[in-house]
């Protein structure tokens, strides 16, 4: 089941269930005031199914899908794929050995990525900082995690990154990663029915400039060195999340070093079973 956060004609947020024919829209079930309340309930699927008969089926084009986030903090793991380790070592003269070591160390790299205010939804903007000359999007599996540390769903995350700022000095990582519209999430939250088939769960990214594709890449979950459970365990060590958390799990797709995003680019990320997240790049 795929759940979206939508705006109802009344202007309030509501729930959408994405189906083959479109999207079933409804107010939040009684007792829930947000998508997070639904996701953190004891059985989200049963709760939504109980209310499906009262929903209205409309086309996806008619609905304003929002980023599937409420009050959660967004965190991110890094260097969880070989491709990211290699790219980071190339971009950083001084920090190369840090990336090398973190790829194999028991403790993963985990960093704060933002708050809901910094996150765009489907169709929204993602930003290039004014003080960077080398920026890329990073397509990542994003975990929706309950306050109890339970993985309740999956979405797509774009971890926008200023590679020159990070490469100049690893201590600049928070500035390379956290700024206005530095992240996009969506289009929905997949409630997994069981463990994902890692080899068959594909993530793809396409970047179009003035209608022409300038980058295309793909990876799959099998190429990730760490498990979701391991990353959640590290994130929750001596750290509580009363509103739950969203954890991006690292990128396995990095455009070639000569590539940088430009304002107006359209970045599209597709993940098996979840859908497609498209955002337009802005700067200034
Ligand atoms: O240390 C750099 C960040 C790594 C990252 O964001 C990734 O691998 O996805
Ligand atoms: Mg990343």
């Amino acid at each position: 089941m795929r759940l979206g956060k939508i705006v109802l004609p009344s202007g309030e947020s509501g729930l959408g269930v994405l189906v083959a024919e479109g999207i079933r829209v409804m107010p939040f079930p009684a007792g829930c005031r947000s998508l997070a309340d639904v996701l953190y309930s004891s059985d989200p699927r049963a709760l939504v199914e109980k209310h499906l008969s009262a929903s209205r089926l409309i086309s996806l084009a008619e609905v304003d899908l929002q980023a599937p986030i409420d009050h959660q903090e967004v965190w991110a793991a890094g260097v969880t794929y070989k491709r990211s380790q290699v790219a980071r070592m190339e971009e950083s003269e001084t920090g190369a050995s840090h990336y090398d070591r973190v790829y194999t160390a028991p403790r993963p790299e985990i960093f704060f990525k933002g708050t809901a205010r910094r996150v765009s939804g489907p169709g929204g903007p993602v930003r290039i900082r004014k003080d960077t000359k080398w920026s890329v999007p990073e397509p990542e599996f994003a975990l929706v995690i309950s306050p109890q540390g339970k993985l309740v769903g999956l979405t797509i995350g774009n971890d926008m990154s200023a590679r020159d700022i990070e490469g100049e000095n690893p201590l600049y990582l928070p500035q390379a990663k956290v700024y206005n519209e530095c992240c996009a999430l969506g289009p929905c939250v997949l409630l997994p029915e069981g463990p994902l088939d890692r080899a068959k769960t594909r993530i793809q990214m396409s970047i179009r400039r003035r209608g022409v594709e300038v980058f295309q890449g793909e990876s799959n979950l099998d190429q990730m060195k760490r498990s979701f459970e391991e990353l959640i365990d590290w994130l929750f060590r001596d750290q509580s999340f009363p509103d739950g958390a969203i954890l991006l799990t690292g990128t396995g797709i990095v455009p070639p070093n000569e590539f940088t995003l430009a304002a107006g680019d359209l970045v599209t990320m597709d993940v098996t079973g979840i859908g497609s997240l498209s955002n337009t790049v802005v700067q200034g």
Side-chain angles (χ1 to χ4, degrees):
M1 181 179 278
R2 293 181 304 152
L3 302 182
K5 180 172 165 180
I6 57 158
V7 177
L8 297 166
S10 62
E12 287 166 53
S13 308
L15 189 65
V17 184
L18 282 84
V19 291
E21 315 81 52
I23 182 163
R24 296 200 153 274
V25 296
M26 59 178 116
F28 291 119
C32 296
R33 286 187 307 177
S34 65
L35 175 61
D37 286 346
V38 175
L39 294 169
Y40 302 160
S41 66
S42 57
D43 189 346
R45 188 185 304 274
L47 177 67
V48 174
E49 267 161 10
K50 210 165 81 189
H51 291 81
L52 267 184
S53 54
S55 68
R56 202 161 54 89
L57 178 65
I58 58 174
S59 83
L60 260 177
E62 284 177 80
V63 85
D64 181 11
L65 265 180
Q66 310 271 292
I69 182 170
D70 292 297
H71 299 294
Q72 299 98 326
E73 291 175 2
V74 183
W75 287 70
V79 198
T80 52
Y81 292 78
K82 190 77 190 162
R83 177 70 190 103
S84 180
Q85 180 219 15
V86 169
R88 254 78 208 193
M89 289 179 72
E90 284 168 3
E91 88 195 357
S92 176
E93 256 178 50
T94 52
S97 71
H98 297 299
Y99 298 108
D100 195 21
R101 277 182 285 149
V102 83
Y103 182 67
T104 47
R107 181 189 292 274
E109 177 194 16
I110 294 185
F111 56 92
F112 179 72
K113 179 64 188 172
T115 44
R117 185 176 70 70
R118 298 181 175 90
V119 174
S120 291
V126 285
R127 182 167 297 278
I128 305 175
R129 292 178 63 113
K130 281 201 206 82
D131 53 2
T132 173
K133 291 194 163 45
W134 188 17
S135 269
V136 293
E138 295 188 353
E140 306 191 8
F141 295 95
L143 314 180
V144 183
I145 309 164
S146 75
Q148 291 73 35
K150 182 174 170 216
L151 173 60
V152 295
L154 283 165
T155 185
I156 306 172
N158 179 350
D159 172 23
M160 290 288 287
S161 301
R163 291 189 65 186
D164 49 354
I165 296 177
E166 180 191 333
E168 188 180 337
N169 186 327
L171 296 180
Y172 293 153
L173 183 82
Q175 296 174 71
K177 294 286 194 177
V178 188
Y179 52 92
N180 293 335
E181 290 141 354
C182 63
C183 181
L185 293 171
C188 59
V189 176
L190 170 73
L191 306 181
E193 281 178 34
L196 295 178
D197 181 336
R198 286 176 68 103
K200 289 198 180 136
T201 305
R202 223 157 44 128
I203 185 159
Q204 290 169 290
M205 176 166 73
S206 153
I207 304 173
R208 298 183 81 80
R209 186 165 297 162
R210 292 182 287 276
V212 178
E213 188 170 76
V214 288
F215 175 78
Q216 200 282 332
E218 67 176 75
S219 168
N220 69 41
L221 194 48
D222 222 13
Q223 290 165 20
M224 192 195 290
K225 185 158 186 296
R226 304 188 188 253
S227 68
F228 291 161
E229 293 69 27
E230 179 187 353
L231 294 175
I232 294 171
D233 174 64
W234 282 98
L235 178 65
F236 273 70
R237 288 190 185 193
D238 282 292
Q239 193 162 215
S240 47
F241 294 96
D243 297 308
I246 296 186
L247 177 61
L248 311 189
T249 56
T251 187
I253 304 174
V254 183
N257 290 349
E258 57 281 7
F259 179 88
T260 185
L261 282 173
D265 285 356
L266 180 69
V267 180
T268 302
M269 300 174 175
D270 290 282
V271 172
T272 315
I274 301 180
S276 188
L277 172 67
S278 282
N279 298 94
T280 301
V281 176
V282 296
Q283 186 174 31

